[in-house]
Amino acid sequence: GENVEQHPSTLSVQEGDSAVIKCTYSDSASNYFPWYKQELGKRPQLIIDIRSNVGEKKDQRIAVTLNKTAKHFSLHITETQPEDSAVYFCAAIKMEYGNKLVFGAGTILRVKS
Amino acid sequence: NAGVTQTPKFQVLKTGQSMTLQCAQDMNHEYMSWYRQDPGMGLRLIHYSVGAGITDQGEVPNGYNVSRSTTEDFPLRLLSAAPSQTSVYFCASSYGTEQETQYFGPGTRLLVL
């Protein structure tokens, strides 16, 4: 089955700097890669996702890149702000009936002001 | 729409007690799932359902039962609570069975003494 590894487990950056979180996956058939953000005491919420037919996707200050050959994908946050402080989870799945979304262990991002 | 709702928000159990965590969604989503979240271990899938009357096991199903008699409801039953089941439990749903955007409930924090 799919296995997703996420690094780093914690990341501290200065406000305004960029943050990068990287995930690797094991199943080359996986074709959908979402990222979820979980603020303290809240539920996880989807912030961006990418499909395997796309190499990069941007949404304002966040972007995700996918390298299918190396089987890794990354979340990039530019111009970080204190409200970006949260736990970020990556996930991977081959989107077909009965398959299960597999999450990484999460990255705690702290943005220091 | 209320989205995905969960009750209770917090529960304390004694070892050996049983209880049911409730989950409901009003978005007519086919796919529903239960995750547990433990520090440093991300979101682990307990059970999931691709539609009314259909359930299957996830990564960590032992000690838990589920049923899906309606599209809206997906309760999780702890048969005989153990301290190892102390965790935060999230219910999630998505529109199709291919698990695109997952919408999470607010979570239930469970403490087993």
Side-chain angles (χ1 to χ4, degrees):
Chain A
E2 178 64 275
N3 182 55
V4 177
E5 294 189 355
Q6 184 171 347
H7 299 281
S9 56
T10 60
L11 178 61
S12 290
V13 300
Q14 203 66 34
E15 182 178 358
D17 287 348
S18 294
V20 181
I21 303 169
K22 181 176 175 179
C23 289
T24 59
Y25 60 99
S26 61
D27 188 351
S28 58
S30 289
N31 56 6
Y32 176 65
F33 308 92
W35 286 89
Y36 285 81
K37 175 183 180 182
Q38 184 180 28
E39 297 177 356
L40 187 63
K42 301 287 184 65
R43 71 191 80 187
Q45 291 190 300
L46 180 73
I47 56 170
I48 195 167
D49 56 13
I50 192 168
R51 297 173 188 272
S52 59
N53 60 347
V54 176
E56 183 176 5
K57 184 177 179 180
K58 288 183 180 180
D59 183 2
Q60 299 183 335
R61 295 187 298 106
I62 62 173
V64 56
T65 58
L66 172 64
N67 183 327
K68 288 187 292 183
T69 302
K71 290 190 286 187
H72 67 70
F73 57 111
S74 300
L75 178 70
H76 305 254
I77 306 174
T78 59
E79 300 173 18
T80 54
Q81 301 168 2
E83 52 264 38
D84 294 328
S85 296
V87 181
Y88 292 82
F89 294 98
C90 63
I93 185 173
K94 178 184 179 185
M95 291 183 68
E96 67 182 23
Y97 183 90
N99 281 353
K100 304 158 196 170
L101 191 63
V102 177
F103 285 87
T107 296
I108 300 171
L109 173 63
R110 296 191 185 94
V111 180
K112 297 175 286 186
S113 56
Chain B
N1 287 350
V4 181
T5 58
Q6 290 183 237
T7 56
K9 290 184 178 180
F10 180 71
Q11 183 72 46
V12 179
L13 290 178
K14 294 182 180 179
T15 297
Q17 287 185 313
S18 63
M19 78 160 295
T20 299
L21 308 185
Q22 301 291 344
C23 174
Q25 52 88 12
D26 61 358
M27 299 175 283
N28 201 31
H29 285 175
E30 293 185 62
Y31 185 91
M32 296 186 74
S33 55
W34 276 101
Y35 293 91
R36 61 177 289 171
Q37 183 175 30
D38 302 295
M41 302 188 74
L43 294 155
R44 293 185 292 168
L45 183 65
I46 305 171
H47 285 285
Y48 66 100
S49 169
V50 297
I54 306 170
T55 64
D56 206 346
Q57 296 180 350
E59 180 185 357
V60 288
N62 291 342
Y64 308 94
N65 272 356
V66 291
S67 59
R68 184 97 178 268
S69 56
T70 67
T71 300
E72 295 78 19
D73 301 298
F74 190 44
L76 178 73
R77 281 183 288 278
L78 279 71
L79 309 172
S80 177
S84 61
Q85 293 179 305
T86 294
S87 188
V88 179
Y89 292 85
F90 286 100
C91 178
S93 71
S94 62
Y95 178 69
T97 57
E98 293 186 341
Q99 302 176 62
E100 197 162 316
T101 303
Q102 292 216 38
Y103 296 87
F104 285 84
T108 294
R109 189 173 296 272
L110 178 67
L111 174 62
V112 182
L113 301 175

Short mmCIF file of all heavy atoms in Angstrom, two decimals, chain A residues 43, chain B residues 1-5 24-29 103:
data_model
loop_
_atom_site.label_atom_id
_atom_site.label_comp_id
_atom_site.label_asym_id
_atom_site.label_seq_id
_atom_site.Cartn_x
_atom_site.Cartn_y
_atom_site.Cartn_z
N ARG A 43 -10.20 21.76 13.07
CA ARG A 43 -10.22 20.63 12.15
C ARG A 43 -9.27 20.87 10.98
O ARG A 43 -9.01 22.02 10.61
CB ARG A 43 -11.64 20.44 11.62
CG ARG A 43 -12.11 21.52 10.66
CD ARG A 43 -13.60 21.43 10.38
NE ARG A 43 -14.39 22.00 11.45
CZ ARG A 43 -15.71 21.94 11.53
NH1 ARG A 43 -16.39 21.29 10.60
NH2 ARG A 43 -16.36 22.50 12.51
N ASN B 1 -25.83 25.07 5.11
CA ASN B 1 -25.45 23.70 5.48
C ASN B 1 -24.60 23.70 6.75
O ASN B 1 -23.74 24.56 6.91
CB ASN B 1 -24.63 23.07 4.36
CG ASN B 1 -25.47 22.71 3.17
OD1 ASN B 1 -26.69 22.74 3.23
ND2 ASN B 1 -24.84 22.36 2.07
N ALA B 2 -24.84 22.73 7.62
CA ALA B 2 -24.04 22.61 8.82
C ALA B 2 -22.70 21.95 8.51
O ALA B 2 -21.78 22.04 9.29
CB ALA B 2 -24.78 21.79 9.87
N GLY B 3 -22.61 21.24 7.36
CA GLY B 3 -21.37 20.55 7.01
C GLY B 3 -21.30 19.22 7.73
O GLY B 3 -22.26 18.46 7.77
N VAL B 4 -20.14 18.94 8.31
CA VAL B 4 -19.93 17.71 9.06
C VAL B 4 -19.98 18.05 10.55
O VAL B 4 -19.25 18.94 11.00
CB VAL B 4 -18.57 17.06 8.73
CG1 VAL B 4 -18.40 15.76 9.51
CG2 VAL B 4 -18.45 16.80 7.23
N THR B 5 -20.85 17.38 11.28
CA THR B 5 -20.97 17.62 12.71
C THR B 5 -20.60 16.36 13.48
O THR B 5 -20.82 15.23 13.00
CB THR B 5 -22.40 18.05 13.08
OG1 THR B 5 -23.32 17.04 12.66
CG2 THR B 5 -22.76 19.36 12.40
N ALA B 24 -22.42 13.22 11.49
CA ALA B 24 -23.47 13.45 10.50
C ALA B 24 -23.02 14.51 9.52
O ALA B 24 -22.29 15.42 9.88
CB ALA B 24 -24.77 13.88 11.19
N GLN B 25 -23.49 14.37 8.26
CA GLN B 25 -23.21 15.39 7.25
C GLN B 25 -24.48 15.64 6.44
O GLN B 25 -25.29 14.73 6.21
CB GLN B 25 -22.03 15.00 6.35
CG GLN B 25 -22.11 13.63 5.71
CD GLN B 25 -22.83 13.59 4.38
OE1 GLN B 25 -23.11 14.63 3.78
NE2 GLN B 25 -23.14 12.39 3.91
N ASP B 26 -24.64 16.91 6.05
CA ASP B 26 -25.85 17.29 5.32
C ASP B 26 -25.54 17.73 3.90
O ASP B 26 -26.27 18.53 3.31
CB ASP B 26 -26.61 18.38 6.08
CG ASP B 26 -25.79 19.65 6.27
OD1 ASP B 26 -24.61 19.68 5.84
OD2 ASP B 26 -26.32 20.61 6.86
N MET B 27 -24.43 17.22 3.36
CA MET B 27 -24.00 17.61 2.02
C MET B 27 -24.27 16.52 0.98
O MET B 27 -23.80 16.62 -0.16
CB MET B 27 -22.51 17.96 2.06
CG MET B 27 -22.21 19.13 2.99
SD MET B 27 -20.45 19.49 3.16
CE MET B 27 -19.94 18.20 4.29
N ASN B 28 -24.96 15.45 1.38
CA ASN B 28 -25.26 14.33 0.50
C ASN B 28 -23.98 13.68 -0.04
O ASN B 28 -23.93 13.24 -1.19
CB ASN B 28 -26.16 14.77 -0.66
CG ASN B 28 -26.90 13.60 -1.28
OD1 ASN B 28 -27.22 12.62 -0.61
ND2 ASN B 28 -27.15 13.69 -2.58
N HIS B 29 -22.95 13.63 0.80
CA HIS B 29 -21.69 13.02 0.41
C HIS B 29 -21.77 11.51 0.49
O HIS B 29 -22.34 10.95 1.43
CB HIS B 29 -20.55 13.51 1.30
CG HIS B 29 -20.11 14.90 0.99
ND1 HIS B 29 -19.18 15.56 1.75
CD2 HIS B 29 -20.45 15.74 -0.02
CE1 HIS B 29 -18.96 16.76 1.22
NE2 HIS B 29 -19.73 16.88 0.15
N TYR B 103 -13.98 16.93 3.80
CA TYR B 103 -14.45 17.91 4.76
C TYR B 103 -14.47 17.25 6.13
O TYR B 103 -15.15 16.23 6.31
CB TYR B 103 -15.84 18.41 4.38
CG TYR B 103 -15.86 19.16 3.07
CD1 TYR B 103 -16.02 18.47 1.87
CD2 TYR B 103 -15.70 20.53 3.02
CE1 TYR B 103 -16.02 19.13 0.65
CE2 TYR B 103 -15.71 21.21 1.81
CZ TYR B 103 -15.86 20.50 0.63
OH TYR B 103 -15.85 21.17 -0.57
#
